[in-house]
Amino acid sequence: MGVSAENILVWGAGAIGGTVAAYLSRAGLDITVVDANAAHVRAIRARGLAITGPIETFTQPLPAFTPDEVAGVWDTIFLCVKALHTEAAARQLAPHLAAAGVVVSLQNGFNELVIAEAVGEKRTMGAFINFGADVVEPGVVHFAGRGAVVVGELDGRATERLARVHGALFDFEPAAIVTDNIWGYLWGKMGYGSLLFASALTEASIVDVLDSREGRPALTALAREVMAVAAAENVTVMGFNGYDPAAFGPNGTEPAIDASFDAMVAFNRRSAKTHTGVWRDIAIHHRKTECDAQFGPIMSLARRRGIAVPHLERLVAIMQDVESGARPQAWANLTRLAASLEKETDAYPL
């Protein structure tokens, strides 16, 4: 174990937070978890947090509390809730953050901006994660596949606390790295994420959607729109796990796009996680997804920059219908996503 933040509060002990917490606790760090799901907390208290799946299987005892029960102050808090719950969680955790402490966003989207509003930019750190995991029942997390783990200060500085946090994450993912361009990774994840959200509109697996020649044009349009907004924001977007941002940029070629899709397919084939967490939110939990929270800020930036993002707007609109039950999860939603706005018909209404 290297230099690390030894006492960590993990706020949100679900797929991401639970997996990281179990590994860090097993490595000897002092980890406490908080989760809003009382049944999940009770199960962890009674039996420990069980990690299952193809990577390895073990059960790790952890102090576990609901938000109204936890007491104390921590120098380091990992925030691991879904994007739509970030604002509320950041307000709840603020009294438990030391004056010189830091909140690290182990989430998807641009949650660092929301966290900074709650606790201050100087007490906020960015992180990028792309491993696969799901909560399959209270107290049990299925760790399906490893992926990129990156951490960085919002302003790109190399700091002592960054080294500590990286040391802690290294105990979970030996390939974890530090970056001076965390925003580039976060924008890269949003480009890739647009593809994953589109896959959740269907009943098909991540691999089946990414590997579909029929679906790729619509998916490509989504990623290109995200990359166009990133370029307007002067972000140098970073690639990972098969996602090549340059392929979806203005100079991207069809061979480069296909090569990136093929690489993403190969990466996802190695994971036991067949469907996204977004898909599970709809199909299993019947709850609202992170779609609005993740893509709303990008669409706002696009409007400010005068950039058209019709496919992103349509993705959000169709997702809202699927969330509400007005549309089923079906392959036809990809067809609706691909239909040009000029050719909108009664057969494919938004």
Side-chain angles (χ1 to χ4, degrees), residues 304-325:
R304 191 180 309 163
R305 295 285 185 175
I307 299 171
V309 289
H311 290 83
L312 282 178
E313 291 170 350
R314 179 171 294 192
L315 170 68
V316 172
I318 296 175
M319 182 63 75
Q320 289 171 343
D321 281 349
V322 173
E323 289 171 348
S324 70

Side-chain angles (χ1 to χ4, degrees), residues 161 204 210 215 244 263:
R161 72 180 188 181
L210 294 179
D244 176 9

Side-chain angles (χ1 to χ4, degrees), residues 329-345:
Q329 285 175 292
W331 194 268
N333 290 322
L334 281 185
T335 305
R336 294 183 178 98
L337 188 60
S340 68
L341 296 177
E342 293 76 16
K343 295 181 180 179
E344 192 70 17
T345 68

Side-chain angles (χ1 to χ4, degrees), residues 20-42:
V20 172
Y23 270 85
L24 268 54
S25 178
R26 190 178 67 165
L29 278 69
D30 184 353
I31 305 296
T32 301
V33 300
V34 172
D35 200 89
N37 186 325
H40 190 48
V41 169
R42 287 195 299 270

Side-chain angles (χ1 to χ4, degrees), residues 274-327:
T274 59
H275 292 70
T276 66
V278 181
W279 180 91
R280 291 177 63 86
D281 282 339
I282 300 166
I284 297 175
H285 301 298
H286 309 294
R287 65 192 180 193
K288 187 174 178 58
T289 75
E290 299 178 278
C291 191
D292 291 0
Q294 288 196 30
F295 293 104
I298 295 178
M299 293 190 296
S300 294
L301 288 172
R303 287 191 291 271
R304 191 180 309 163
R305 295 285 185 175
I307 299 171
V309 289
H311 290 83
L312 282 178
E313 291 170 350
R314 179 171 294 192
L315 170 68
V316 172
I318 296 175
M319 182 63 75
Q320 289 171 343
D321 281 349
V322 173
E323 289 171 348
S324 70
R327 295 185 189 274

Side-chain angles (χ1 to χ4, degrees), residues 110-173:
F110 302 140
N111 301 283
E112 289 79 359
L113 300 174
V114 179
I115 297 167
E117 284 289 326
V119 304
E121 186 173 347
K122 292 183 178 179
R123 296 201 294 171
T124 305
M125 184 181 295
F128 160 79
I129 44 91
N130 195 47
F131 65 89
D134 294 298
V135 177
V136 293
E137 62 181 86
V140 181
V141 174
H142 183 259
F143 183 21
R146 294 193 175 277
V149 175
V150 184
V151 63
E153 294 281 8
L154 300 188
D155 60 6
R157 292 178 303 133
T159 62
E160 186 267 343
R161 72 180 188 181
L162 178 59
R164 292 200 314 270
V165 171
H166 176 241
L169 290 173
F170 190 81
D171 284 325
F172 161 64
E173 175 50 67

